[in-house]
Structures are given as structure tokens and as C-alpha cells.
Amino acid sequence: SDINLFNLFEKKQTRYGIGYDIHKIDFKSKNKLKLCGIYINHPPLIAHSDGDVGYHSICDSIFGALTIGDIGKFFNNKDKRWKNKNSKFFLEFAREKISEKNAKIINLDMNFICEKPKISTLANRMKLNISKILKIDKSIINIKATTNEKVGLIGKNEAIAVESIITIEL
Ligand code: ZN
């Protein structure tokens, strides 16, 4: 109805979004750690939701690239609705925002910063989970990790952080 012919030929823009998240480890809990949808034999993270720090980081990168704010704006951590919520739900919401704006994901690069667990052995399954939720090919997802060289909270294995950078075409 209001299709602007000029828009059809408009060149798409490349946009980038950065995401960062960190959660402390709960050594008193008997629950398992959850990273990008994978349960791991390691104490879990302290969080209002299920604490999937990987998915939170991706969400923020998507909201950044779309310039629509951050995860706290959509999912306030004081809101009871998100208590122990599966973070897959947040990532699906972010994916819907991508669709609404007719954007296309070009690349997702993630960096885990932690002493444990060993991310390299989990990366392939993480990519599979992310590719299913975001409906993108595994080949455009990169997952890497670094330790914090024993420095600070992360270095003492008391916290896990993840940073993500996403590239989209809009
Ligand atoms: Zn988080």
C-alpha cells in the first residue's frame, strides 16, 4: 500500500552491536551451570533469570545493532515474570525484533571470559543452539574464549563474562 519505489533500490546499511554480560558463580547451589542453552557440571550463575550469560550478551548486541536499547529495558530484573526465566525466551524476542526491522544477521562473534569451564569443547553445541534460535547458519557464528589470567573476580573463577559483537544488514 505505501511501498516507496525508491526504498526498493536503497542500499542496505551495515550495523554493529556490542553486548557484554557478567554473572557471579553461586558455589552454594547444587544446580548446574547453563551456557547458551547447555547444562554443564559446574556451579550455576547468580541471576534473576536462569543466568544464561551467553544469551544475555547476544541479546544486548542485537538490541545495540537495532539501536533499541538493552536487555534491562525489555526484561527488567525486578519483574517477577522473568524470575528463573529460560533465557532462550529473551533471545527469541531479540530475533523477533530483527524480523520486525527486516534486518539480516551477517556475523556473530562471541568471546567467553572465564577460567572454567573449557569453552572449546562446548562451542559447537552452543553454535547449534544459537543458530536454531536466531535462524542463522552455524558458519556465521564464532565462539572463542579467554581466561582472565587469574586476575580479579573472573580470574579467581568467581564469575563468568561474555562479550558479543553482531553485524547486521538493515
Ligand atoms: Zn545476564
Side-chain angles (χ1 to χ4, degrees):
S1 53
D2 70 338
I3 291 172
N4 182 334
L5 278 174
F6 290 104
N7 284 345
L8 293 175
F9 303 105
E10 210 173 76
K11 200 173 174 290
K12 292 223 168 198
Q13 288 183 339
T14 306
R15 303 252 192 116
Y16 308 94
I18 187 167
Y20 173 82
D21 196 22
I22 180 167
H23 286 265
K24 277 176 145 183
I25 297 165
D26 184 0
F27 287 99
K28 289 175 197 153
S29 172
K30 297 253 190 298
N31 293 335
K32 284 188 177 184
L33 173 66
K34 195 179 182 190
L35 294 178
C36 291
I38 301 167
Y39 288 98
I40 301 148
N41 276 323
H42 181 284
L45 298 174
I46 300 167
H48 182 68
S49 66
D50 68 354
D52 199 323
V53 63
Y55 283 173
H56 296 176
S57 161
I58 302 171
C59 284
D60 262 352
S61 72
I62 291 173
F63 299 142
L66 295 174
T67 60
I68 55 171
D70 63 20
I71 193 167
K73 177 183 154 187
F74 298 107
F75 305 105
N76 191 300
N77 65 10
K78 305 275 187 289
D79 192 326
K80 281 181 187 145
R81 280 180 296 168
W82 318 129
K83 180 99 179 107
N84 299 321
K85 189 78 180 173
N86 186 343
S87 296
K88 184 183 175 190
F89 177 86
F90 308 146
L91 196 53
E92 283 167 346
F93 175 89
R95 177 65 184 85
E96 279 163 29
K97 293 289 172 196
I98 293 253
S99 303
E100 280 171 22
K101 298 237 176 187
N102 277 320
K104 186 186 167 201
I105 297 169
I106 303 299
N107 169 266
L108 171 64
D109 187 20
M110 300 179 75
N111 194 32
F112 281 75
I113 310 162
C114 58
E115 302 299 314
K116 287 175 188 173
K118 201 165 172 58
I119 299 300
S120 58
T121 58
L122 306 163
N124 211 38
R125 283 157 67 206
M126 287 178 174
K127 283 185 199 176
L128 192 65
N129 286 346
I130 297 162
S131 72
K132 278 183 193 161
I133 297 168
L134 294 181
K135 297 176 182 142
I136 56 175
D137 200 274
K138 267 172 67 182
S139 66
I140 62 167
I141 306 169
N142 190 60
I143 294 180
K144 53 195 162 24
T146 181
T147 69
N148 219 35
E149 292 292 327
K150 312 257 186 263
V151 177
L153 266 188
I154 296 173
K156 288 181 195 119
N157 192 36
E158 289 177 25
I160 295 176
V162 183
E163 44 194 10
S164 300
I165 294 187
I166 202 160
T167 310
I168 63 167
E169 228 176 50
L170 185 65

